[in-house]
Amino acid sequence: MLHIKRFLKKSPWVLHYNTGSCNGCDIEILACLSPRYDLERLGVLNTGNPKQADIFLVTGPLTHRCHDRLLQLYSQIPDPKVVVAVGSCTCTGGVFKDMYNVNNGIDSLIPVDVYVPGCASSPELIMDGIVKALEILEGK
Amino acid sequence: MKKTITIPLGSQHISLLEPVRFNFSCENEKITDVDYNVGFVHRGIEKACTEKFEYKQVGYVVARVCGLCAITHTMAYTLGIEHILNIKTNKKIDYLRILMLELDRIHSHLLCLAHTAENSGFEGMFMKIMGDRELVMDIQEAISGNRVQFDFVCIGGVNRDISTECEKLAFTNLALLDKKVDDLIGKFTSNWSTALKYKNIGALSYDDAFNFNALGPLARAAGAAIDVRAESSILPYKEVGYKMILGQNGDIYDRNLVRLKEIKNSILMCQNILSGLTEGEILVKFKGKPNGESFTRLEAPRGEIFYYLNANGTNMLQRVRIKTPTFSQIPGMVEIFKGSDYADAPAILASFDPCMSCTAK
Amino acid sequence: MIKSIIESFSNLFAKSETINYPYEQIAKFKNYRGLIEYSADECIFCYKCEKVCPPDAIVFKPTKEKNRLYEYNPNLCIYCGECVRNCPKEDLALWQSEKKPKII
Ligand code: SF4
Ligand code: SF4
Ligand code: SF4
């Protein structure tokens, strides 16, 4: 319990969830983990368990069926947590704005700390977003 | 006594890119039944295409059905509308379109192979393939200006011409990739953890491929010669050196090999196109509003994609129907899962390369 | 076996593929599709860009004066470039820059 906060910012683990995106931003997140961009040198590790995660990467415009799952995942991540919305459609709805089964962006449901625009956001932008999320995590 | 346990996989899981839920009923280690739920990402694109967007905008919207085969969706839609509007494109446009389609196929197949390697527990291979994949992504970004969503095709032609620098970059990168794929073929045929372990696992027989309506690499790995590129003449595939690639057993090993060989064939096609490209117009002017219907088939990285369009002479379309390859592969997928070990489930799933945002739209 | 040993040794001395991004810039290709930029002086207010934009990222707000006010939402834009291609004064009134959008 001594310096948990100090170590936290050195190795943030990310959880990734897709709420109805087109996969474009998801494969760019995967490309971020590839040798060219290699997020792991910032200590970032992709995890499948919400209880271990610090940064929540969400893609997609939030379809109605993903509604409950997103809320569940969000509430299972321990504090402090940072939510990063990756892609235009996650920030505002993008092209899917006002379609009948979507909620126009995830900020209608959970608080978002970092908005990463772009369709699809390039790995460069996603990395910028995660670096920004680290700064926010430090302050929390 | 045999006890049946139900194990859920999804909707959020580290080996899944997209939300899809499987319920495996298992007896000991064997899977006896599978229940699947694919509708998590339904957004209502078909409806919106007829109500919210004009026919010139729909091309950009259907690209966002799926990020992996974005160009195929736009392409199929564009070919359909061009058929209704009676637009004749010239050779150069056709070649540029095939070039982008094939580049997209290369990157999609490489992603699938990387995923299979990762799910078989071979992290180093995943990194290596993802590293090689950046070569194609660079070409795509240089040509179209974006890494994933190209927005390259528009009604009547293409949006950008290829500059000489792009051509040079493409040649060097493709030659480099060709060597790396040769290397990968060696690894996928002789390495235990990516190849030999998966012989006879997740096999789909030749008859089942027809019975369960398999498409794309899944059917070709089983030896069934199903490929729209060979059947239809809507794009001049034969002129650029297309070759059908068939497997024999339809297991994971064969599927990987079919994908690798298709990548080699695609690289060859791209090189042929790039060396034979001529000067010419990249956009054909057109007038009028669409009136009529059309059916379009095109080969996406995962199989046949089908578009039905109906227009009545206004700016809005009457009906847009999209049928995607993964949708017809699900029955075959369920059949393969039955009787295989639970431990192999993620690898079998990855070797199918399912695309849920295509299926649910 | 021998082949793989040779390969792993040669990889040890190969140049690293990783770009050390936040500290080192990534070289962008020419014609990267970045932010849409606008100049009110050149615009003739034909509102074509507003009409063709699929997600309505460009909106002209009515004001008290004669000309409307251009508003652009980079978080809504899908960077398709359709507005630029339809603008009658392409490159002067509306153009696609190579800047990347800001993160907030
Ligand atoms: S922002 Fe664009 S590319 Fe990214 S998931 Fe949404 S629609 Fe796909
Ligand atoms: S690039 Fe496309 S989405 Fe963005 S403002 Fe222009 S037309 Fe709209
Ligand atoms: S299309 Fe060009 S000229 Fe017309 S309103 Fe838009 S920016 Fe102005």
Side-chain angles (χ1 to χ4, degrees):
Chain A
M1 288 292 111
L2 295 167
H3 297 298
I4 270 206
K5 253 194 150 163
R6 225 183 77 212
F7 295 122
L8 196 70
K9 70 165 199 254
K10 288 214 167 133
S11 178
W13 287 20
V14 299
L15 175 74
H16 162 223
Y17 188 57
N18 172 340
T19 61
S21 85
C22 77
N23 280 349
C25 289
D26 304 275
I27 54 178
E28 292 298 68
I29 290 175
L30 215 59
C32 278
L33 299 169
S34 78
R36 169 80 67 93
Y37 301 100
D38 203 11
L39 264 180
E40 274 174 30
R41 75 204 139 82
L42 303 178
V44 172
L45 205 62
N46 194 6
T47 170
N49 188 345
K51 301 217 167 91
Q52 300 167 336
D54 306 302
I55 297 181
F56 193 18
L57 288 178
V58 191
T59 59
L62 187 54
T63 59
H64 286 313
R65 276 187 78 181
C66 289
H67 204 277
D68 296 344
R69 272 124 198 136
L70 185 71
L71 208 58
Q72 259 183 24
L73 284 172
Y74 180 74
S75 53
Q76 280 177 15
I77 301 176
D79 280 331
K81 56 193 160 195
V82 181
V83 179
V84 183
V86 180
S88 287
C89 66
T90 324
C91 300
T92 55
V95 252
F96 309 126
K97 196 166 149 251
D98 296 334
M99 286 189 188
Y100 68 84
N101 206 25
V102 301
N103 276 348
N104 284 356
I106 58 164
D107 52 3
S108 57
L109 184 63
I110 58 174
V112 178
D113 300 285
V114 184
Y115 294 88
V116 182
C119 183
S121 340
S122 60
E124 194 181 349
L125 279 168
I126 297 176
M127 256 145 65
D128 279 347
I130 287 181
V131 170
K132 180 127 187 176
L134 287 180
E135 279 164 24
I136 294 176
L137 197 66
E138 226 168 298
K140 268 197 179 172
Chain B
M1 193 193 87
K2 276 199 178 152
K3 211 169 105 199
T4 309
I5 318 169
T6 313
I7 307 177
L9 180 80
S11 68
Q12 187 269 335
H13 188 269
I14 187 154
S15 80
L16 296 174
L17 265 182
E18 324 151 78
V20 52
R21 190 183 174 84
F22 290 99
N23 264 325
F24 295 109
S25 307
C26 298
E27 268 170 19
N28 296 334
E29 280 287 294
K30 292 268 180 257
I31 299 173
T32 54
D33 200 9
V34 191
D35 187 20
Y36 53 90
N37 194 340
V38 293
F40 285 96
V41 284
H42 175 67
R43 285 150 291 182
I45 291 177
E46 283 181 357
K47 179 100 174 151
C49 285
T50 59
E51 281 183 351
K52 222 181 126 219
F53 300 105
E54 291 176 9
Y55 77 95
K56 278 185 191 163
Q57 299 173 334
V58 171
Y60 300 102
V61 180
V62 289
R64 270 82 186 170
V65 170
C66 170
L68 283 167
C69 42
I71 184 92
T72 329
H73 281 273
T74 321
M75 194 67 247
Y77 170 76
T78 312
L79 287 172
I81 272 286
E82 282 177 356
H83 178 78
I84 296 178
L85 285 168
N86 237 332
I87 303 171
K88 291 273 174 296
T89 51
N90 60 26
K91 272 266 139 58
K92 171 155 187 174
I93 294 174
D94 285 348
Y95 284 156
L96 281 178
R97 286 172 170 182
I98 295 183
L99 176 71
M100 266 343 240
L101 280 173
E102 292 309 312
L103 287 176
D104 188 64
R105 193 184 315 279
I106 297 173
H107 106 80
S108 171
H109 277 354
L110 280 176
L111 186 79
C112 166
L113 289 166
H115 229 241
T116 320
E118 191 196 19
N119 282 354
S120 64
F122 198 167
E123 191 80 15
M125 187 68 126
F126 168 75
M127 288 295 179
K128 189 170 159 33
I129 302 177
M130 289 301 276
D132 297 346
R133 184 169 159 266
E134 291 297 323
L135 292 172
V136 201
M137 303 306 272
D138 277 352
I139 308 177
Q140 288 172 351
E141 185 172 359
I143 293 178
S144 74
N146 205 338
R147 283 165 54 96
V148 175
Q149 295 284 4
F150 311 132
D151 297 330
F152 185 70
V153 177
C154 64
I155 299 173
V158 291
N159 283 331
R160 290 178 174 217
D161 203 349
I162 291 191
S163 65
T164 35
E165 291 153 50
C166 288
E167 224 172 292
K168 231 187 264 159
L169 178 92
F171 267 126
T172 41
N173 277 8
L174 284 175
L176 212 59
L177 190 70
D178 203 29
K179 269 197 220 110
K180 300 214 169 182
V181 172
D182 279 337
D183 193 31
L184 281 180
I185 289 182
K187 291 214 169 70
F188 270 92
T189 44
S190 62
N191 191 309
W192 192 80
S193 49
T194 47
L196 308 179
K197 186 164 90 178
Y198 285 131
K199 274 211 162 153
N200 294 327
I201 298 230
L204 186 75
S205 68
Y206 179 80
D207 293 333
D208 278 354
F210 280 106
N211 288 346
F212 292 107
N213 198 3
L215 293 170
L218 181 61
R220 291 198 285 278
I226 300 174
D227 195 330
V228 184
R229 286 179 290 175
E231 290 159 18
S232 115
S233 57
I234 197 160
L235 286 173
Y237 264 110
K238 297 219 173 63
E239 294 168 27
V240 294
Y242 166 74
K243 209 168 89 243
M244 172 92 72
I245 283 140
L246 294 177
Q248 283 156 2
N249 300 325
D251 48 10
I252 298 184
Y253 173 86
D254 263 6
R255 253 171 257 151
N256 288 340
L257 272 191
V258 164
R259 289 215 171 87
L260 279 167
K261 285 181 186 154
E262 270 181 20
I263 292 172
K264 281 209 63 134
N265 188 218
S266 294
I267 291 174
L268 183 76
M269 280 195 254
C270 290
Q271 283 168 337
N272 283 349
I273 291 171
L274 282 170
S275 49
L277 219 50
T278 49
E279 293 286 308
E281 281 292 308
I282 55 162
L283 208 58
V284 178
K285 289 254 178 320
F286 67 94
K287 274 209 287 284
K289 292 189 176 143
N291 194 356
E293 28 174 26
S294 78
F295 302 86
T296 320
R297 292 161 72 221
L298 209 62
E299 182 79 7
R302 288 162 187 72
E304 175 197 302
I305 191 170
F306 171 86
Y307 265 70
Y308 166 68
L309 304 173
N310 188 341
N312 64 349
T314 57
N315 265 331
M316 299 288 178
L317 295 173
Q318 283 293 94
R319 180 82 175 102
V320 179
R321 170 79 186 118
I322 311 170
K323 202 204 107 235
T324 53
T326 311
F327 178 72
S328 18
Q329 288 184 354
I330 286 175
M333 184 146 90
V334 169
E335 182 62 23
I336 292 183
F337 272 132
K338 283 180 193 165
S340 52
D341 285 344
Y342 179 72
D344 291 329
I348 294 177
L349 189 60
S351 80
F352 269 102
D353 206 11
C355 176
M356 290 311 151
S357 44
C358 269
T359 315
K361 295 180 281 281
Chain C
M1 185 73 188
I2 295 168
K3 231 166 112 193
S4 65
I5 290 177
I6 294 174
E7 201 190 322
S8 42
F9 270 106
S10 68
N11 274 348
L12 267 184
F13 301 107
K15 199 169 155 273
S16 159
E17 206 174 311
T18 311
I19 304 172
N20 199 356
Y21 169 54
Y23 312 107
E24 215 179 85
Q25 284 310 308
I26 294 175
K28 279 237 190 56
F29 289 103
K30 244 178 70 199
N31 291 332
Y32 171 76
R33 293 209 311 265
L35 278 178
I36 306 288
E37 288 186 326
Y38 169 79
S39 151
D41 304 336
E42 295 285 340
C43 179
I44 52 170
F45 298 96
C46 62
Y47 308 128
K48 267 190 187 153
C49 49
E50 183 185 9
K51 197 165 155 275
V52 296
C53 178
D56 303 331
I58 294 179
V59 175
F60 280 89
K61 278 236 168 110
T63 51
K64 289 211 187 76
E65 287 137 47
K66 196 175 117 249
N67 290 333
R68 299 187 183 189
L69 189 66
Y70 165 90
E71 262 192 23
Y72 167 65
N73 183 351
N75 278 358
L76 196 53
C77 178
I78 56 169
Y79 304 92
C80 59
E82 186 69 7
C83 48
V84 177
R85 281 191 286 276
N86 276 282
C87 178
K89 297 189 79 174
E90 187 178 341
D91 293 342
L92 289 173
L94 199 68
W95 67 95
Q96 192 142 30
S97 68
E98 292 176 16
K99 291 177 202 152
K100 54 182 183 183
K102 259 240 291 297
I103 287 167
I104 38 168

